Amino acid sequence: MMEFLYFPEDKTEYIPAVISLGVFIALAVLVMFLIMRVSKKQEERTEEQYGSQQAKKDDSLSYKPQGK
């Protein structure tokens, strides 16, 4: 009935599959950390570039009463 499923009697045939699964999981975790690192650098660069412009804009828009 379910001939497309294959479960080997010799369980050592699972070893290559487990090794390749481990390699792919390790690579996925590594890529995730690299993406997070690059994203953090881009966030800092954007904040550095546009944060100062926003502060200048906020200063020019704020109400400053004239003293006597």
Side-chain angles (χ1 to χ4, degrees):
M1 183 171 180
M2 293 170 78
E3 297 169 7
F4 60 91
L5 291 176
Y6 170 68
F7 296 104
E9 293 295 323
D10 184 17
K11 301 303 180 193
T12 59
E13 293 183 29
Y14 288 124
I15 293 173
V18 170
I19 290 172
S20 64
L21 178 66
V23 168
F24 281 109
I25 289 175
L27 288 174
V29 169
L30 178 68
V31 168
M32 182 188 70
F33 281 119
L34 288 174
I35 289 172
M36 289 172 52
R37 180 191 232 169
V38 169
S39 175
K40 185 70 174 173
K41 286 181 182 180
Q42 287 178 346
E43 179 185 7
E44 290 171 358
R45 195 177 317 137
T46 303
E47 185 65 32
E48 181 180 295
Q49 184 178 4
Y50 294 109
S52 60
Q53 291 177 0
Q54 186 66 29
K56 289 177 185 177
K57 184 178 179 182
D58 289 344
D59 287 342
S60 65
L61 295 176
S62 63
Y63 174 71
K64 296 178 185 175
Q66 297 288 330
K68 289 186 177 181

